[in-house]
Amino acid sequence: MSEKMDSKLEQVAGGVKEAFGKVTGDKKTETEGQVEKLSGKVKESIEDVKDTVKGALSGLTKD
């Protein structure tokens, strides 16, 4: 569950960085924030897939 929380925090941090970049007119910071946010979303999706696979495997091994 920790990895999922880390990915959420990365998304939030990226959103804050992106907003700061927009407010200050700093395109580099804004872009870095967008990248961080997207990276967090990708990591969260990977964790969701892992959880789904673990659940499916668990269901197959129970008889």
Side-chain angles (χ1 to χ4, degrees):
M1 195 60 144
S2 175
E3 290 178 34
K4 211 173 234 192
M5 182 62 85
D6 289 344
S7 65
K8 283 286 190 189
L9 289 173
E10 188 173 350
Q11 289 178 52
V12 170
V16 169
K17 195 172 194 177
E18 179 183 7
F20 182 76
K22 283 182 182 178
V23 168
T24 60
D26 185 348
K27 287 289 185 188
K28 181 178 183 246
T29 301
E30 183 180 347
T31 301
E32 287 174 357
Q34 290 170 343
V35 169
E36 282 182 29
K37 200 162 64 170
L38 180 59
S39 174
K41 287 180 182 180
V42 169
K43 289 177 184 177
E44 182 181 13
S45 295
I46 290 169
E47 289 305 312
D48 289 343
V49 169
K50 284 182 185 177
D51 290 344
T52 300
V53 169
K54 284 179 186 175
L57 291 175
S58 176
L60 290 174
T61 57
K62 288 184 182 178
D63 288 315

